[in-house]
Amino acid sequence: MSNLRPTARVARGATYLFISGFLTAFISVIYFIILAHMLTQEELGVFALLSFLITLAQVFGTFALPSAAVKYIAQYLAENDTEKARSVIARVLQISVFASLVALALLAIPAEWLSTLMFNTSKYAQLLQIVGFASVFMILNNIAGSFLQGLQKMRDVAAIAFVYTVIQNGVSIFLLYMGLRLYAVVIGWLLGLLVASVSGLILTTKYLGILGKPHPTKPLLVFSLPLYLSGALGLFVSWADQLILVSYMGLVHGAQEAQRLLGIYYVAVRASMVPGLFSSSLITALLPQISELYAQQGTNSLKASFKVSSRYAALIGFPLIIGLATLAYPTIILFTGWN
């Protein structure tokens, strides 16, 4: 890949990620349709809140260090300094392992109290404990993906994302039909994330290595702090309406009714996220290329990457959005039924 022009590298990386994202989205849609028909609306509400918890661990547990890892790994490799690139991996992995253990403790130890607080019953305590273990691998999967992204191994990033989706959804659907209900969902998360995170770290070890003298922490945190705050704000914005809904309806109508309504609303929110697949694939491919070009040739060299990105977005993104808008109504019927 090193012999490719910057424009070709960005386009090829974005294509891998977009194809993977499209396939995983298709599989996830089928999975979510099955989920919406096999779980009660109350269980879908519980599922939504469990999803919030694991997303919370993902956003706050990574400290936005995946973005710093992508930037510095790509930059140091462009400067032919593999030792420094490896040192970034060592430091980010060190911090992430500690953060993942903290996330596990915060979810698993007070599981009964959290279950009573969130669901007005302690019967979901074991689910929260499994989510705690899944959060460990969620954090590790994110940082492993960022290592491969910094190495510009976009095909591997795309392949791991696809494999994770197949395992997570496949296991969950199988266990749903075995009658495990919400346990099927969280066990699917756990196994999918376990395979994805271990695969990502093995590939990182193969391409560059994960051991070495750790990089100074301060530059990484200084770079990631604005992104960390932005991620926290984005999490609040994306979940505020759902949390307000469940809190308000819980006070007015009780916990079960609140969870039922949240389950209905969560289906619509999930559907609205599909257009973001395209933009995220393009950004993922573009970020390490920008770092590499800046390190090698300065700001003038970035024009080519931005140029191909805008053309790529216009060629694929606009027809995709129009198509999704056209199919919005039948998609909602597919998820929720005529009622």
Side-chain angles (χ1 to χ4, degrees):
M1 183 175 287
S2 58
N3 295 324
L4 292 175
R5 292 179 294 108
T7 53
R9 189 179 298 183
V10 172
R12 191 160 100 170
T15 300
Y16 285 140
L17 295 165
F18 178 71
I19 292 172
S20 171
F22 182 82
L23 292 175
T24 56
F26 178 77
I27 294 170
S28 297
V29 166
I30 302 299
Y31 164 69
F32 204 69
I33 291 171
I34 295 172
L35 204 66
H37 284 82
M38 292 193 69
L39 298 181
T40 65
Q41 291 172 345
E42 179 186 345
E43 287 174 325
L44 283 173
V46 174
F47 168 72
L49 289 173
L50 293 176
S51 298
F52 170 72
L53 286 178
I54 201 167
T55 304
L56 198 69
Q58 176 185 354
V59 172
F60 287 100
T62 59
F63 300 101
L65 285 173
S67 296
V70 173
K71 188 262 185 190
Y72 282 103
I73 291 171
Q75 176 182 320
Y76 290 143
L77 289 179
E79 296 170 351
N80 295 316
D81 195 336
T82 56
E83 287 300 320
K84 278 191 175 181
R86 194 178 299 115
S87 74
V88 172
I89 292 174
R91 176 62 77 193
V92 172
L93 185 59
Q94 183 184 74
I95 295 172
S96 298
V97 168
F98 175 76
S100 65
L101 294 177
V102 171
L104 172 61
L106 291 176
L107 287 172
I109 294 175
E112 286 196 17
W113 175 79
L114 281 174
S115 178
T116 303
L117 177 67
M118 296 178 65
F119 309 115
N120 203 32
T121 175
S122 62
K123 70 179 182 178
Y124 297 119
Q126 286 186 324
L127 285 174
L128 287 168
Q129 290 173 337
I130 299 173
V131 170
F133 284 99
S135 297
V136 171
F137 296 107
M138 172 65 82
I139 293 171
L140 294 179
N141 181 48
N142 271 261
I143 62 106
S146 73
F147 297 157
L148 293 174
Q149 188 183 347
L151 292 165
Q152 301 198 51
K153 302 295 183 180
M154 298 306 169
R155 182 167 56 184
D156 294 313
V157 174
I160 289 174
F162 179 73
V163 169
Y164 159 68
T165 302
V166 171
I167 293 175
Q168 183 250 313
N169 292 351
V171 168
S172 294
I173 290 171
F174 173 75
L175 294 179
L176 275 170
Y177 280 102
M178 294 292 292
L180 292 186
R181 306 193 71 78
L182 283 172
Y183 282 93
V185 175
V186 295
I187 292 172
W189 286 349
L190 178 60
L191 293 180
L193 289 167
L194 171 62
V195 171
S197 57
V198 171
S199 299
L201 291 173
I202 289 174
L203 287 172
T204 302
T205 303
K206 173 186 173 182
Y207 293 131
L208 186 64
I210 60 174
L211 300 178
K213 182 180 179 181
H215 191 278
T217 304
K218 185 176 179 180
L220 301 176
L221 292 179
V222 168
F223 178 85
S224 65
L225 180 59
L227 299 173
Y228 188 56
L229 297 176
S230 174
L233 180 60
L235 177 69
F236 173 77
V237 170
S238 61
W239 281 91
D241 52 349
Q242 298 168 74
L243 296 177
I244 291 172
L245 172 66
V246 74
S247 299
Y248 175 75
M249 296 306 296
L251 291 173
V252 177
H253 298 290
Q256 287 189 340
E257 178 66 10
Q259 290 162 17
R260 186 186 73 83
L261 292 173
L262 178 61
I264 297 171
Y265 185 65
Y266 185 71
V267 171
V269 172
R270 293 279 292 189
S272 70
M273 295 179 179
V274 175
L277 290 171
F278 172 73
S279 60
S280 63
S281 66
L282 191 58
I283 292 168
T284 301
L286 187 60
L287 178 56
Q289 185 63 52
I290 290 173
S291 295
E292 178 184 312
L293 289 174
Y294 181 77
Q296 290 178 339
Q297 304 171 39
T299 56
N300 290 333
S301 63
L302 304 181
K303 293 179 181 179
S305 292
F306 284 120
K307 186 176 181 180
V308 73
S309 301
S310 60
R311 289 179 177 176
Y312 194 88
L315 180 64
I316 298 178
F318 183 71
L320 176 67
I321 293 170
I322 296 298
L324 288 170
T326 304
L327 296 173
Y329 181 71
T331 300
I332 291 174
I333 297 299
L334 185 64
F335 273 114
T336 62
W338 289 99
N339 296 324

